[in-house]
Amino acid sequence: MESKNIFKRMAYAMNPRHGDKKMVLLWLFWIVFNLILFFTPKGMVQGSAWILVPMAGLFTYALVTKDVMQSIFFGTFSCYVLWYKTNCFGGFLDDLGVVLTEPENVEMYMSFFLCGGIIIAMKRSGSTKAFTDFVTSHFGKNHKAISFAAGVYAGVTSVDDYVSALTAGAAFSPLVDKLKKPRLALAYIVRTISICASAMLPFGAWGYFIIYQIADGETVGSKAEATHIFLQSVPFMFYAIVAIVMALLFSLEKLPKLGPMKQAYELMEEKGIQMGELHEGALEEEEDFDDTDLRKQNVSVWNLIIPLVAIIVALLATGLNCFWAFAIATVVTGVLYVFQGIFTISEYVQCIVDGFMDMVDMVLILMLGYAMQECMYAMGMEDFVAGVCGAIPIASLLPAIFFVFFCCSEYLFSLNYTLYQIAIPVMLVVLPQVGANVPLCLGAIISAGLFGANACVVSDLGVISARACGVTIYDQYRTSQPYVLIAGGISAILYLIAGFVF
């Protein structure tokens, strides 16, 4: 447009005839949708299914735009429109202040920033290339063996699912590229196994957190009793078991390639193009490592193994404190690389800074997700969960109903830890009163949370595993859907049967 007049430019840009028809329709829907939320009385919202309505809007927006950042921003703000009405902007800023200053959240954000720095340093030092060469020399070009090894690695390191996904993606992505296989397949394997295995381990990040939520129940007397209840529920985490088995079978090519995943394989094998790659081509990835730098030639594979071991040992030594673990590993990695002359101190510090920048969008998505959770707490999510429990007349149906219901809510927006914070303490009081099998129902709720973490387009672990494997969040979401939904369907049937058997 030739005019410099601000108002004329605005009038031209806002004219629907000059925009994308699909986006015009989406914005008409979004305006009407938010007007409905605004005029819905707060009394109707408190502790009701209305709490989940903004999630449906977020899901619709994400499917149309394929843009996770936009979707979660507008979806989060819709929650505040629904609850705070004219004070929606003030409420949004207040909760952002809370999630930005909460010590546990700050530790998590810093953990991601430091991990991003370590990953950049591994790439630029040639450590990931050394690992690629080492594994290739032992397994050759056996894609099955390497994919299975990635799954096993994700399971073994799942003491913390974030650590598992981030490091597995960084370590195995170059191998997948070398074998001309889609990174989206690796992202599915890593995402599934890291989170499901973590939830089944009493000393895993998820398992550890769940035990604490069980201990918060009024009917649970001690942490030891909570651990016992948790261990009883592990055999009933059907989704975790089914999903892990399916991911490992997929890695061994014992499952067919379905839908978009099949397209990803065909595109890579026939044209050498990575579907859903974060960058146009592989130029940016290649720039991470300068193979003409003599300091970075003949680098030992131990330069990748030692930092990973340092992260895991530090996690265990600090009681699963991710921030401390990554801070310790950052120092260990720096000493390791600088003392070998691979980096100068200035170059290593630049790796850390660049890693921070690489993780900014992921941290913003997580921050908005936590703000949404704060708003959902205010709207009475806990009362809503308690009401759902009391409305089911046949106790034997509870496991299947819990699993299906919470799978649906988690599919729209994965609450992850918050689902457990809200549901588990309440369930431990309500379930014995209605004669339900507590470990079985607990396993169903945990499984629903895992399903959401695997299936939801804006799941935090989805964001992490996609970034670690160098693929877009949306493409990871759509390629993994057939396998996640099949695992969910099998699990629902198992819960229906188990409800009448146990």
Side-chain angles (χ1 to χ4, degrees):
M1 186 177 182
E2 295 181 0
S3 175
K4 294 182 179 181
N5 185 286
I6 293 174
F7 297 105
K8 287 183 178 180
R9 294 179 70 90
M10 290 174 65
Y12 180 85
M14 292 295 104
N15 189 327
R17 287 179 291 183
H18 299 149
D20 181 358
K21 185 177 180 180
K22 181 179 69 174
M23 290 304 297
V24 170
L25 292 174
L26 177 64
W27 272 100
L28 285 174
F29 158 78
W30 197 250
I31 291 168
V32 173
F33 178 74
N34 278 275
L35 285 172
I36 293 171
L37 297 182
F38 182 82
F39 288 108
T40 302
K42 290 182 72 171
M44 287 179 58
V45 176
Q46 179 73 43
S48 74
W50 272 96
I51 296 171
L52 302 178
V53 173
M55 308 304 105
L58 183 157
F59 186 71
T60 303
Y61 198 97
L63 285 181
V64 174
T65 63
K66 302 178 178 59
D67 188 319
V68 173
M69 183 68 80
Q70 277 190 63
S71 303
I72 196 169
F73 177 80
F74 288 119
T76 299
F77 197 74
S78 290
C79 282
Y80 288 86
V81 172
L82 175 62
W83 185 243
Y84 290 100
K85 310 303 182 187
T86 55
N87 191 38
C88 56
F89 190 66
F92 178 57
L93 292 181
D94 287 343
D95 282 350
L96 280 182
V98 171
V99 301
L100 282 170
T101 56
E102 180 70 33
E104 290 183 0
N105 289 351
V106 172
E107 287 184 2
M108 183 182 63
Y109 303 149
M110 288 303 299
S111 298
F112 293 146
F113 284 139
L114 290 173
C115 185
I118 293 172
I119 289 172
I120 292 290
M122 286 177 174
K123 289 181 178 179
R124 292 182 184 173
S125 67
S127 300
T128 53
K129 182 179 182 298
F131 180 78
T132 301
D133 293 340
F134 174 80
V135 175
T136 303
S137 67
H138 285 74
F139 293 106
K141 293 188 176 181
N142 190 330
H143 173 58
K144 296 179 186 178
I146 290 173
S147 296
F148 187 78
V152 172
Y153 173 89
V156 170
T157 57
S158 64
V159 171
D160 185 272
D161 54 313
Y162 291 163
V163 173
S164 175
L166 284 165
T167 57
F172 285 89
S173 290
L175 285 167
V176 170
D177 288 344
K178 194 168 186 177
L179 296 176
K180 297 189 182 301
K181 299 296 180 181
R183 293 184 195 172
L184 290 165
L186 174 66
Y188 159 65
I189 295 167
V190 167
R191 178 180 182 178
T192 300
I193 295 178
S194 60
I195 195 169
C196 291
S198 181
M200 299 176 74
L201 298 173
F203 51 84
W206 278 62
Y208 195 70
F209 178 82
I210 291 167
I211 288 171
Y212 267 93
Q213 304 317 305
I214 296 172
D216 280 346
E218 294 178 6
T219 57
V220 180
S222 65
K223 188 178 176 184
E225 183 183 352
T227 303
H228 178 67
I229 294 171
F230 172 80
L231 291 174
Q232 286 181 312
S233 73
V234 170
F236 297 119
M237 296 181 191
F238 295 146
Y239 177 79
I241 296 167
V242 172
I244 289 174
V245 170
M246 284 187 61
L248 290 175
L249 289 175
F250 177 84
S251 71
L252 295 172
E253 298 186 357
K254 299 297 182 183
L255 293 180
K257 300 172 183 66
L258 305 172
M261 186 67 80
K262 184 178 180 180
Q263 296 172 16
Y265 270 90
E266 290 173 349
L267 194 62
M268 190 62 189
E269 291 170 357
E270 295 173 9
K271 298 183 179 180
I273 298 173
Q274 284 283 6
M275 177 189 285
E277 189 175 18
L278 280 176
H279 312 294
E280 293 296 326
L283 293 175
E284 190 163 330
E285 286 292 320
E286 291 173 359
E287 290 172 0
D288 278 336
F289 173 64
D290 182 6
D291 57 3
T292 63
D293 190 337
L294 295 177
R295 297 174 300 165
K296 299 170 185 176
Q297 294 179 2
N298 300 315
V299 170
S300 170
V301 70
W302 286 102
N303 285 303
L304 183 133
I305 295 172
I306 290 173
L308 298 184
V309 171
I311 293 170
I312 295 169
V313 172
L315 271 172
L316 296 174
T318 59
L320 301 180
N321 187 313
C322 286
F323 175 51
W324 272 88
F326 279 116
I328 292 168
T330 300
V331 174
V332 170
T333 306
V335 169
L336 183 66
Y337 292 172
V338 171
F339 278 30
Q340 291 179 77
I342 296 173
F343 289 131
T344 63
I345 294 177
S346 176
E347 288 172 335
Y348 183 69
V349 170
Q350 189 60 50
C351 288
I352 302 303
V353 172
D354 290 344
F356 271 50
M357 294 173 64
D358 205 37
M359 290 289 179
V360 166
D361 58 344
M362 186 186 76
V363 169
L364 285 173
I365 289 172
L366 295 177
M367 182 185 70
L368 290 168
Y370 285 128
M372 180 180 284
Q373 291 172 13
E374 291 288 332
C375 188
M376 293 178 78
Y377 264 124
M379 288 190 285
M381 186 66 174
E382 188 171 347
D383 294 334
F384 174 61
V385 172
V388 171
C389 293
I392 301 169
I394 303 173
S396 297
L397 292 174
L398 282 171
I401 292 175
F402 284 159
F403 178 72
V404 173
F405 175 80
F406 287 117
C407 277
C408 292
S409 65
E410 291 290 288
Y411 188 87
L412 294 177
F413 183 78
S414 180
L415 294 173
N416 291 355
Y417 286 162
T418 303
L419 171 66
Y420 301 151
Q421 283 179 307
I422 295 169
I424 290 177
V426 175
M427 296 296 188
L428 289 169
V429 176
V430 175
L431 293 174
Q433 297 174 0
V434 297
N437 183 318
V438 174
L440 177 57
C441 290
L442 185 60
I445 295 167
I446 294 169
S447 286
L450 298 176
F451 174 86
N454 271 317
C456 180
V457 67
V458 290
S459 160
D460 56 353
L461 190 68
V463 175
I464 292 163
S465 56
R467 172 51 58 89
C469 294
V471 296
T472 64
I473 300 165
Y474 182 78
D475 281 298
Q476 180 193 228
Y477 155 76
R478 70 190 189 95
T479 51
S480 65
Q481 284 303 288
Y483 306 98
V484 173
L485 294 176
I486 290 170
I490 294 171
S491 301
I493 295 169
L494 291 174
Y495 281 118
L496 184 61
I497 296 170
F500 290 94
V501 173
F502 297 99

